Amino acid sequence: MEKVKAFADWLTKWFTVIVIVWAVFNYFVPAASLWGKAYTGYMLGIVLFGMGLTLTLDDFKRILTQPLMVIVGTVAHFIIMPLIAVALCAIFHLSGPLAVGVILVGCCPSGTSYVMSYLSRGDVALDVSIGILSTLCAPFMIPLLMQLLASQYVSVPTQSLFLNAVKVVLFPIALGVICHMIFGKKIEKVTVALPIVSQVAILLIIGVVVAANGPKLFVASSLVAIPVVILHNLCGY
């Protein structure tokens, strides 16, 4: 297990570099990941199932012990990030699928903000609680926000968006939490390897995205998205 943990720590340390190298590789060799296009939903489910396995009842109890701060943080996320996305779309004159994609990113719950809290010596436990609540709210908030903010660009299928969010987000997390409750201490032996599994799944998803969209990545319309995404993250921080 020590070797597994050491490898997990190494992978986490160099993950950004590995992502860049992997993305470049898939741009030039798209066949390496195109096979996984039909399985991206399952890969994301694996990541969220792993998240559920790491959660305990104490994580949910913390939401009740600090309800005001958790609710304020969650509400702020679902207001600030989507509105920043809308503002950037207006500033950069984005429209169509590109604008919808930027707004969708703004409406999704943050997945790794607790890392930034840790690095900035913030309240990591509080951030984890906000992350849990925002993720649980995602199936309801994403369709609602997309209908309000993106329906001017495309017709938003709110019902299917809600059902997909429940299937891809809520179900895997709930299954992970249930498994943790049933198997208890036995799960803790497995959680050492979860960072590796999750990061490999994320790499596979990135590979699929780059491989499937390689020809479109460096056209003028797509290049505009790069500064927009960077600014969206920076403004959020």
Side-chain angles (χ1 to χ4, degrees):
M1 279 298 176
E2 290 182 4
K3 290 182 179 180
V4 174
K5 187 178 184 305
F7 179 70
D9 292 340
W10 177 87
L11 189 61
T12 301
K13 180 180 179 181
W14 296 102
F15 191 64
T16 302
V17 177
I18 294 170
V19 165
I20 295 171
V21 172
W22 179 242
V24 172
F25 174 76
N26 278 277
Y27 177 76
F28 290 104
V29 191
S33 294
L34 277 177
W35 60 268
K37 189 174 181 180
Y39 306 103
T40 50
Y42 297 106
M43 295 172 194
L44 182 57
I46 289 171
V47 175
L48 293 169
F49 175 72
M51 174 185 171
L53 281 178
T54 63
L55 298 176
T56 65
L57 290 178
D58 289 336
D59 294 312
F60 292 93
K61 287 178 182 177
R62 199 182 302 116
I63 297 175
L64 300 177
T65 57
Q66 293 179 288
L68 180 60
M69 295 304 296
V70 174
I71 292 172
V72 167
T74 303
V75 170
H77 169 77
F78 282 119
I79 291 176
I80 293 171
M81 298 307 289
L83 291 183
I84 289 175
V86 171
L88 289 171
C89 287
I91 292 169
F92 285 85
H93 303 289
L94 301 184
S95 62
L98 193 56
V100 173
V102 171
I103 294 171
L104 179 60
V105 170
C107 295
C108 289
S110 54
T112 57
S113 62
Y114 65 89
V115 176
M116 301 306 297
S117 294
Y118 174 77
L119 294 174
S120 60
R121 301 180 185 276
D123 191 336
V124 178
L126 175 61
D127 198 276
V128 170
S129 297
I130 293 172
I132 292 171
L133 186 58
S134 64
T135 301
L136 294 176
C137 292
F140 306 95
M141 293 304 299
I142 292 175
L144 175 63
L145 290 170
M146 289 299 291
Q147 181 63 37
L148 290 173
L149 303 176
S151 57
Q152 59 181 312
Y153 301 111
V154 294
S155 176
V156 179
T158 52
Q159 184 175 356
S160 62
L161 198 58
F162 168 76
L163 293 174
N164 282 331
V166 170
K167 181 175 67 175
V168 176
V169 178
L170 282 191
F171 181 72
I173 292 177
L175 187 61
V177 172
I178 292 169
C179 287
H180 195 155
M181 291 173 62
I182 293 173
F183 298 105
K185 295 289 183 180
K186 294 179 181 178
I187 289 294
E188 294 178 6
K189 297 178 181 179
V190 181
T191 53
V192 178
L194 286 179
I196 299 173
V197 175
S198 296
Q199 287 175 102
V200 168
I202 291 169
L203 284 172
L204 290 173
I205 293 171
I206 292 170
V208 170
V209 172
V210 173
N213 297 282
K216 305 175 186 175
L217 287 179
F218 293 105
V219 298
S221 58
S222 297
L223 287 174
V224 176
I226 297 174
V228 171
V229 172
I230 293 172
L231 282 171
H232 185 256
N233 280 276
L234 290 175
C235 291
Y237 290 134

